[in-house]
Amino acid sequence: MDLLEYQAKSLFREIGIPVLPSQCIDHPRDLKQLDIPYPVVLKSQVPKGGRGRAGGIRTVENTIDAIATARAIFNLSILGKYPNVLLAESHYDAQQEFYLAVILDYSLKRPVLLGSCQGGIHVENVMAQMQRVVVKDDFSPFYARRLAFKMGLQGYLIESVSDIVQKMYQLLIQKDLDLVEINPLGVSASHEVMALDGKIAVNDHALGRQSELANLASSLTHTPQPADQPTDLQWTDSQGNIGILCNSPCLAAATLDLVYKAKGKPASCLIVDGYASWDVPSAASPVQQLQNALQQLTDTQNIQVVLVNILSNAAASEAVADVIASYLLSKGGQNAEISVVDYAQTPKTGKSNSRDSRNRRRRNLTSKSASRTDMPHLVIRLVNGKIDSSQNRLAALPVHWMDTLDQAVAQAISLARS
């Protein structure tokens, strides 16, 4: 169970993690009694990521603008969820932003500290600088300071950030949590640090021991998604012909933004949880989720291109590539007319865009069938990919190895238009 931001920050405040003055808003008219001076940031309170890109976080300068903006946010669906409450929070001028998290790694059976010197909504930048420290023995301040050093922090930031990491760890243990995340942790020009956003994942099995969390859980209406099914982002064009598959709401929102800006037409966008960007364990089967998502997108009649954009660590990238390869080869066994364009963060290993390959793809495009017997094009981008072991399996397919999202989006749109 994921807590709402205002609930997470309430726990932050109890443990001593600095948070901004804030006030919960149940109705736009409540803003007439706002105790916080303007400018104020209004935030949709839904247990979903990607709120900023979806328009669920906005800064307002006065009461009139605040009321109008609050009405819009209350009526804004984010991943199919409408907020019952908004958080009005003081505006904060951050000179730097960091990412911090403490998670319970079920594969290691140990807590893990995560930190990046890049924070905020740009997931790729955050992930590129991600550092991790496994807590192997009883926790001590050494682990938090080691993370700060690995993040490249210096001077006062070492003490400030390591102190917050210690409190995050303390909160994780005291409350039986699966995840405590601050993204971003803002640093002002006066060297003040502030948790500007927070996420807490509660271990459902611990609610019997945590009455405070049980009370918070009772205030949330939680309809669980079937464990083996991807989440539908629900921001799609019914006339579109591009399917999108990502592994986080923020990444999906960024991909959709680029596709729309390039005049592409998304038809469906799915999010799989199993290969989470921060190594957070999922209750769902990651293999089954990915297979089901690929099946759903490739079987949709109007989808001509599937754009896969996945951020993960090296081990997970290899597993993702293996699942995709197995799926494509299984479909290829049923039908030889498969056209694949594959992008990954791997050096180009050879030229597969030969004249024969292009001619084969052109013949595939002209093939006609009353039902969906051919595969749509797949444009696949994996970040942090160590997928050498899958290259031989994919060698029989026309595959291009590249690494940027811009190139993948451009290629997907080009194929969709052709």
Side-chain angles (χ1 to χ4, degrees):
M1 181 191 70
D2 291 339
L3 298 185
L4 299 176
E5 179 190 358
Y6 80 90
Q7 296 171 327
K9 286 185 172 178
S10 176
L11 296 179
F12 287 174
R13 192 177 291 108
E14 290 179 11
I15 205 73
I17 296 173
V19 294
L20 292 167
S22 61
Q23 188 173 332
C24 288
I25 303 299
D26 298 316
H27 191 277
R29 63 172 173 264
D30 295 344
L31 289 161
K32 295 179 180 180
Q33 285 78 44
L34 191 64
D35 297 328
I36 306 168
Y38 289 94
V40 167
V41 181
L42 297 180
K43 298 182 175 183
S44 177
Q45 296 299 284
V46 292
K48 299 291 182 181
R51 294 177 300 162
R53 290 184 179 276
I57 299 177
R58 306 184 194 180
T59 302
V60 293
E61 301 289 341
N62 55 62
T63 301
I64 294 176
D65 289 345
I67 292 174
T69 301
R71 287 172 179 163
I73 296 178
F74 271 117
N75 289 284
L76 176 67
S77 171
I78 299 177
L79 303 183
K81 297 290 186 180
Y82 290 90
N84 294 319
V85 62
L86 305 186
L87 183 66
E89 189 172 70
S90 295
H91 185 265
Y92 189 82
D93 290 319
Q95 301 298 308
Q96 292 177 280
E97 292 185 342
F98 304 140
Y99 173 92
L100 295 175
V102 182
I103 69 170
L104 187 59
D105 190 314
Y106 282 91
S107 61
L108 297 176
K109 299 181 181 179
R110 302 299 305 171
V112 176
L113 313 181
L114 299 176
S116 174
C117 61
Q118 297 287 327
I121 63 175
H122 299 293
V123 181
E124 295 181 17
N125 295 337
V126 175
M127 193 64 188
Q129 303 294 328
M130 187 65 67
Q131 304 296 327
R132 59 184 285 153
V133 173
V134 179
V135 181
K136 297 181 179 179
D137 302 305
D138 292 340
F139 184 82
S140 72
F142 162 78
Y143 287 107
R145 291 177 63 85
R146 183 181 177 190
L147 179 67
F149 280 118
K150 292 185 71 173
M151 291 170 61
L153 304 184
Q154 297 179 353
Y156 72 93
L157 285 176
I158 294 175
E159 292 298 330
S160 299
V161 171
S162 62
D163 180 64
I164 288 178
V165 172
Q166 292 178 57
K167 292 175 179 177
M168 293 170 68
Y169 181 89
Q170 183 181 354
L171 184 61
L172 181 94
I173 300 302
Q174 285 184 357
K175 302 294 185 181
D176 292 314
L177 305 176
D178 282 344
L179 165 72
V180 180
E181 177 186 272
I182 297 176
N183 184 31
L185 177 75
V187 183
S188 69
S190 60
H191 302 166
E192 179 187 35
V193 292
M194 191 68 62
L196 301 182
D197 198 356
K199 178 179 178 180
I200 286 179
V202 178
N203 188 317
D204 293 343
H205 299 291
L207 291 178
R209 299 189 298 271
Q210 302 289 343
S211 58
E212 179 185 6
L213 298 182
N215 291 333
L216 292 178
S218 65
S219 66
L220 300 174
T221 56
H222 177 59
T223 303
Q225 183 82 6
D228 60 351
Q229 294 300 318
T231 301
D232 189 344
L233 194 58
Q234 300 180 357
W235 305 348
T236 57
D237 182 347
S238 60
Q239 303 301 316
N241 57 4
I242 299 174
I244 296 174
L245 174 59
C246 298
N247 67 320
S248 82
C250 290
L251 192 62
T255 306
L256 278 168
D257 282 349
L258 289 176
V259 171
Y260 278 125
K261 286 178 181 177
K263 308 301 181 184
K265 296 181 179 180
S268 183
C269 186
L270 301 180
I271 301 172
V272 291
D273 296 326
Y275 299 102
S277 297
W278 320 123
D279 301 333
V280 178
S282 171
S285 165
V287 172
Q288 192 63 53
Q289 272 204 33
L290 187 54
Q291 289 175 339
N292 288 347
L294 289 168
Q295 184 78 41
Q296 183 174 335
L297 292 174
T298 56
D299 284 355
T300 301
Q301 189 68 36
N302 62 313
I303 290 181
Q304 298 174 6
V305 179
V306 175
L307 171 58
V308 179
N309 184 23
I310 288 182
L311 277 171
S312 58
N313 60 31
S317 293
E318 185 174 350
V320 170
D322 187 61
V323 172
I324 293 174
S326 297
Y327 176 81
L328 294 178
L329 293 172
S330 69
K331 299 294 283 189
Q334 300 169 9
N335 184 356
E337 293 181 349
I338 299 180
S339 182
V340 180
V341 180
D342 194 329
Y343 287 88
Q345 188 171 334
T346 306
K348 231 177 186 179
T349 57
K351 293 183 178 179
S352 59
N353 57 341
S354 65
R355 181 174 299 175
D356 290 342
S357 296
R358 292 196 298 272
N359 288 339
R360 284 197 299 271
R361 291 197 291 273
R362 192 175 295 113
R363 288 196 298 270
N364 289 344
L365 285 171
T366 58
S367 65
K368 297 181 180 179
S369 175
S371 61
R372 190 65 184 261
T373 59
D374 61 326
M375 288 282 290
H377 295 270
L378 272 83
V379 178
I380 304 170
R381 174 188 180 252
L382 302 179
V383 175
N384 293 330
K386 302 291 185 181
I387 54 178
D388 295 343
S389 62
S390 297
Q391 291 186 23
N392 290 336
R393 301 185 66 196
L394 295 174
L397 301 175
V399 174
H400 299 269
W401 304 99
M402 298 178 70
D403 63 337
T404 71
L405 178 57
D406 287 337
Q407 291 172 318
V409 169
Q411 183 66 30
I413 293 173
S414 176
L415 289 169
R417 288 174 178 168
S418 67

